[in-house]
Amino acid sequence: MLDSIVVPSNSFDSPVEFDEEPDSDRDYIDFSEEELGSDSYIDRIDSYQRKTGLTKAVQTGIGQLNGIPVAIGVMDFQFMGGSMGSVVGEKITRLIEYAANQSLPVIIVCASGGAHMQEGSLSLMQMAKISSALYNYQLDKKLFYVAILTNPTTDGVTVSFAMLGDIIIVEPNATIAFAGKRVIEQTLNTTVPEGSQTSEYLFEKGLFDLIVPRNLLKGVLSELFQLHGFFPLNHSSKN
């Protein structure tokens, strides 16, 4: 849908790199000295675009799930840790607005280390922008949004649209958190209990509706949509 947005990206420059592989025992930002000052923000974006074949950390579009029309956004952790910048926020917002106008259910598959630190407050603004679009979609239009949280989902994504689903589904053994274990321990001078940021532990505390492995996800989503009045295009009903 949207591949770019005009922001003063030439002013963004930060020695921050994201790991490609999630690790529940550490945070997803690497401040190792060999990375400091190595590339500008624009260089990093270009590098990840070539490496992954993606334009940004989310892909959005319209499709069908078992014949049911849906609007879907999928975040990719391989692109700068799935971090959310201005373009990611705009693409997700436009997806939700389009779905509201077309009366489509929305699925967002979350996998993110949080907001782009390089974009500062502009990236943080995406949390409010997406949440505002969801307010209109869910409360004014009375439509149905499913959030799917994968490993890892953290930081600003967790505390905004990832936790605003009418139904929140999480994958088994996923790390779900606002701040990483190390950051919490260093900031609060306390010990984070082992396993307290896993999907199973948080499910027991009532944070999610379902834990669903990927091989069962399609069937579960299809049933949820039909329960909420969304049917395949070839569905015939007297109603």
Side-chain angles (χ1 to χ4, degrees), residues 166-178:
D166 296 294
I167 295 291
I168 302 173
I169 297 174
V170 65
E171 289 192 325
N173 304 312
T175 296
I176 313 295
F178 172 58

Side-chain angles (χ1 to χ4, degrees), residues 180-219:
K181 183 176 183 289
R182 176 169 56 86
V183 172
I184 295 173
E185 292 180 339
Q186 291 180 353
T187 303
L188 301 180
N189 194 28
T190 187
T191 300
V192 176
E194 193 66 33
S196 61
Q197 295 182 324
T198 63
S199 52
E200 287 76 11
Y201 177 87
L202 295 172
F203 176 76
E204 292 179 0
K205 301 299 181 182
L207 203 61
F208 315 119
D209 297 296
L210 298 166
I211 298 179
V212 182
R214 292 193 183 189
N215 62 322
L216 301 178
L217 192 55
K218 185 176 181 181

Side-chain angles (χ1 to χ4, degrees), residues 1-5 55-56 58 60 86-87 90-91 94:
M1 295 177 71
L2 179 73
D3 290 332
S4 63
I5 181 173
T55 56
K56 288 295 177 179
V58 67
T60 58
S86 301
V87 175
E90 184 71 9
K91 290 184 72 170
R94 293 194 183 191

